[in-house]
Amino acid sequence: MENQKLVDKAKKGDKDAFKELVLAHQARLYNLAFYFTKNEHDASDLYQETWIKVFEQLNKYKYHQNFPAWISQILRNTYIDKFARKQSKKSEVPLDESIDILQSELTPLENSQKLENEAFIDKAINCLPLEYRETVVLIDLQGFSYEETAEITKSPTGTVRSRLNRAREKLKELFKDFDRYHK
Amino acid sequence: MDIQEILRTHKQKEVPQHLQTRMDAKIDELFEQKYNKPSFVSNFKWQLALGIFVLGIIAGTGILTVSRKPASKTLEAVNTIEIGKESKLSFQFFSQDDMKDIVFNINLPGGVALASNPQKKDIHWKGDLVKGKNVICIYVKAQKEGIWEVAAQLQTNGTILKQFKMPIVIEKKG
């Protein structure tokens, strides 16, 4: 069902419609939260807090707005308001007690290499300053347009373009050190 | 090397199962609060107005004096969780220096289960501590009514650095 219809139903108290919205956008929002906070524990908190705000602000959502961009903007604002300050003050050790076992057709060696590559990409992205990181994640990982990214990050489109170019350049440099990507 | 291609094909992280469960419970709670909340004010509108009026008269005549001294705060010594609900347990400690090879063991009592793996009662975390404040968190689910105690130990090379005992009260719903 379309976002608009689900939002309408949720506004009228339809819990299942809201759950459907969460389900449809959970991966996008969780991944965005992960790249903002750089760890799973804070990402989980940011993710949950964002959905609570989405619920509280449903009446402010206008139908011409792009729903994924709107919720991404709420997540970004929540991160800046609460998590960015908190993260600069304390160091947190996440207890990673749930490591998913990946089912794949790769050999154990290929699988571990693939996981290593994925982890390397995450590390490289997380090395970027926030404004580059959010731009590259929104555009290259999540598929938002320049205009949508400009709206989410409250920046001019030209700034988004230049940040993206710089972020890609920086990542290119980081990836050069990683031999596995020279294939 | 096409950087955009690498990023485009980069595997998305899956939302952890325990977070989905937590989110589901939170949505139930949010809707319950917003749409099924019994409105005390609307049900007892005139009684409330009368009460405020009478209280105003009493306060105005000086019969009732209200102390301005702030009420003493009692620290919440225990975590109270409703059966079936999930809660976050945080263990905080301050380290004077960076410390390597730290082992943190958590033992969950009978009435409490790890949210992501209810069968697992002993949780072990190995890693390093940074100088300053460190926090280790786990998500648990309340399973059985009673007063329980979560025990945890911070160790390095077999030496116990700190012990934690966290009381948890598990209550019936409603």
Side-chain angles (χ1 to χ4, degrees):
Chain A
M1 203 186 288
E2 285 172 35
N3 292 324
Q4 191 177 318
K5 283 181 187 164
L6 291 172
V7 171
D8 256 347
K9 285 187 166 190
K11 275 183 187 175
K12 288 173 188 158
D14 187 336
K15 189 167 67 182
D16 291 336
F18 191 75
K19 284 187 178 178
E20 213 176 306
L21 268 177
V22 172
L23 203 66
H25 299 280
Q26 62 175 7
R28 175 192 291 279
L29 220 54
Y30 179 73
N31 276 266
L32 192 55
F34 176 81
Y35 289 110
F36 268 114
T37 60
K38 304 184 193 179
N39 73 74
E40 287 175 11
H41 169 63
D42 280 343
S44 299
D45 285 350
L46 174 59
Y47 169 85
Q48 180 170 315
E49 205 149 320
T50 303
W51 278 118
I52 294 171
K53 287 199 175 164
V54 169
F55 173 77
E56 288 168 350
Q57 295 178 22
L58 266 188
N59 283 325
K60 291 184 186 169
Y61 172 71
K62 295 177 187 76
Y63 294 128
H64 66 267
Q65 282 180 296
N66 172 334
F67 189 76
W70 184 67
I71 57 173
S72 301
Q73 195 177 46
I74 293 177
L75 183 137
R76 183 182 183 270
N77 293 343
T78 310
Y79 172 75
I80 290 168
D81 286 349
K82 288 196 171 177
F83 289 80
R85 276 181 220 143
K86 185 183 118 189
Q87 282 196 326
S88 63
K89 277 183 194 163
K90 69 165 192 180
S91 312
E92 192 150 305
V93 183
L95 180 67
D96 190 5
E97 27 82 7
S98 57
I99 299 163
D100 295 330
I101 298 160
L102 293 173
Q103 298 289 331
S104 77
E105 289 175 2
L106 298 174
T107 66
L109 181 67
E110 283 169 333
N111 206 1
S112 81
Q113 193 166 311
K114 188 171 181 290
L115 282 175
E116 227 176 281
N117 294 351
E118 297 285 345
F120 179 81
I121 296 168
D122 283 343
K123 273 188 184 171
I125 294 169
N126 286 337
C127 281
L128 299 172
L130 179 64
E131 60 268 31
Y132 292 177
R133 194 165 77 237
E134 64 180 7
T135 310
V136 84
V137 168
L138 288 166
I139 295 175
D140 284 341
L141 263 68
Q142 304 223 328
F144 280 111
S145 66
Y146 290 111
E147 289 72 24
E148 287 165 339
T149 305
E151 193 191 321
I152 296 167
T153 60
K154 295 172 189 162
S155 317
T157 314
T159 308
V160 168
R161 281 178 197 275
S162 71
R163 280 178 184 166
L164 181 68
N165 286 337
R166 284 181 197 167
R168 284 176 182 164
E169 284 305 313
K170 184 78 191 157
L171 286 175
K172 222 173 201 176
E173 277 173 36
L174 291 167
F175 288 173
K176 266 181 196 166
D177 302 333
F178 198 62
D179 291 335
R180 289 182 187 89
Y181 281 100
H182 284 279
K183 284 175 194 172
Chain B
M1 176 179 50
D2 182 358
I3 195 84
Q4 282 163 263
E5 181 62 17
I6 291 172
L7 294 172
R8 202 181 56 75
T9 54
H10 181 46
K11 189 177 179 292
Q12 273 207 340
K13 264 149 276 297
E14 282 174 24
V15 182
Q17 189 58 49
H18 67 89
L19 182 58
Q20 292 184 35
T21 316
R22 212 170 104 195
M23 200 60 235
D24 221 38
K26 192 73 204 173
I27 295 169
D28 290 343
E29 193 186 315
L30 289 170
F31 274 82
E32 185 70 27
Q33 279 172 1
K34 189 168 178 181
Y35 297 101
N36 298 332
K37 188 168 56 179
S39 175
F40 179 81
V41 176
S42 61
N43 289 344
F44 298 97
K45 225 180 258 171
W46 72 265
Q47 289 94 332
L48 198 70
L50 182 68
I52 292 168
F53 179 71
V54 172
L55 200 69
I57 292 172
I58 295 171
T61 52
I63 296 168
L64 183 72
T65 51
V66 181
S67 167
R68 289 183 182 277
K69 193 179 163 189
S72 63
K73 273 188 182 173
T74 325
L75 277 176
E76 188 72 42
V78 290
N79 292 300
T80 304
I81 322 172
E82 247 180 44
I83 285 186
K85 290 261 167 96
E86 286 187 12
S87 181
K88 182 166 83 174
L89 303 184
S90 297
F91 299 89
Q92 297 186 15
F93 31 87
F94 191 87
S95 178
Q96 290 187 331
D97 278 303
D98 290 344
M99 289 184 81
K100 289 199 173 294
D101 304 324
I102 292 293
V103 180
F104 190 63
N105 298 314
I106 305 168
N107 178 252
L108 297 176
V112 184
L114 191 66
S116 58
N117 184 357
Q119 311 304 321
K120 204 172 173 183
K121 288 288 175 188
D122 294 307
I123 301 131
H124 308 283
W125 177 85
K126 283 180 189 173
D128 302 335
L129 296 185
V130 292
K131 187 180 176 181
K133 192 177 173 186
N134 294 263
V135 183
I136 293 180
C137 299
I138 57 166
Y139 288 93
V140 294
K141 192 168 185 177
Q143 286 192 317
K144 215 171 167 185
E145 196 183 1
I147 301 169
W148 306 93
E149 192 175 72
V150 176
Q153 282 182 343
L154 193 67
Q155 294 182 348
T156 182
N157 299 323
T159 313
I160 297 171
L161 299 172
K162 193 172 168 102
Q163 281 186 304
F164 300 82
K165 283 192 174 167
M166 189 183 284
I168 294 181
V169 176
I170 298 182
E171 293 178 337
K172 274 186 182 165
K173 284 180 187 172

